[in-house]
Amino acid sequence: IEKKELILTPEQEKAKGEMIERLARGWTDDALEIKDEFFLPEEVITAPEVQTAAKEGMIQGLAQGRIDSALKIKDRFSLPEEVITAPEIQTAAKEGMIRCLAQGWIGDALEIKDKFSLPEGFITTPEVQTAAKERMIQCLAQGRIDSALEIKDKFSVKITPQELIARFPEIQTLLSRLQTLSPSFYQQAQKSIETTLGLFPFRQNPDLLFQTIEVNPFLLSAIEANPRFG
């Protein structure tokens, strides 16, 4: 079937050019507003020049960590899957994920991972691991233990007990006190990151841990078994 030629009014032609310009800059809402205001037909969306601009805009949005803008382009401008998996899009998605992690936007980082088909190998690259580890440590410092554990799980963060102990002297002090009380727990904490993480709920109030142990001697075993116990 022969494709019917798309005819636009002079105003629509001008609007199309303005839409393409804004789209290529990643100004998604402006581009969509122009599309709606000038009643540009849906066929315009699939025009090669619009698709190219949409791809450029998506790269801009991803690289800057503006996941909502990138997703809106993906959905509203009908970009095919082969564009999403193109090397330049994947690279921008990786950059965006790292930026989101650095800013503490964990949900956005995970959404980029899922929505842009990033392979598992991206998660284990040094740049992503470094960003994820630093954000995990910052969450621990802020007392956001569940967020730290989520980052560790979702981004497969490799971190040793010694790294955490070096970053948090309070944990070393806590472990020194525990060494006399339970040498086996102390040894376990030197080997198990989960056990070390289980001490973080008591980092700012170590006396609470020892008071609780007096009432419930099984607490240390519970921490060993579940770092979310605290």
Side-chain angles (χ1 to χ4, degrees), residues 11 25-26 36-38 44-45 53 66-67 82 98 131-132 161 177 179 182 197 208 213:
E11 292 79 9
R25 292 171 182 249
D36 294 340
E37 182 180 348
F38 290 90
V44 168
I45 299 302
R66 293 186 287 111
I67 179 65
E82 55 265 29
I98 291 171
R177 291 178 64 182
Q179 187 173 13
S182 176
L197 285 168
L208 176 62
I213 289 172

Side-chain angles (χ1 to χ4, degrees), residues 118-163:
L118 290 180
E120 285 301 320
F122 269 30
I123 302 302
T124 58
T125 58
E127 310 96 295
V128 174
Q129 283 292 297
T130 296
K133 183 184 291 187
E134 282 304 310
R135 178 48 54 180
M136 174 185 169
I137 288 172
Q138 289 179 33
C139 286
L140 288 171
Q142 296 164 359
R144 296 165 52 209
I145 298 166
D146 284 343
S147 294
L149 292 171
E150 181 183 23
I151 293 170
K152 179 181 178 297
D153 294 342
K154 300 288 188 181
F155 291 93
S156 305
V157 175
K158 306 298 181 187
I159 188 168
T160 66
Q162 287 71 31
E163 286 179 272

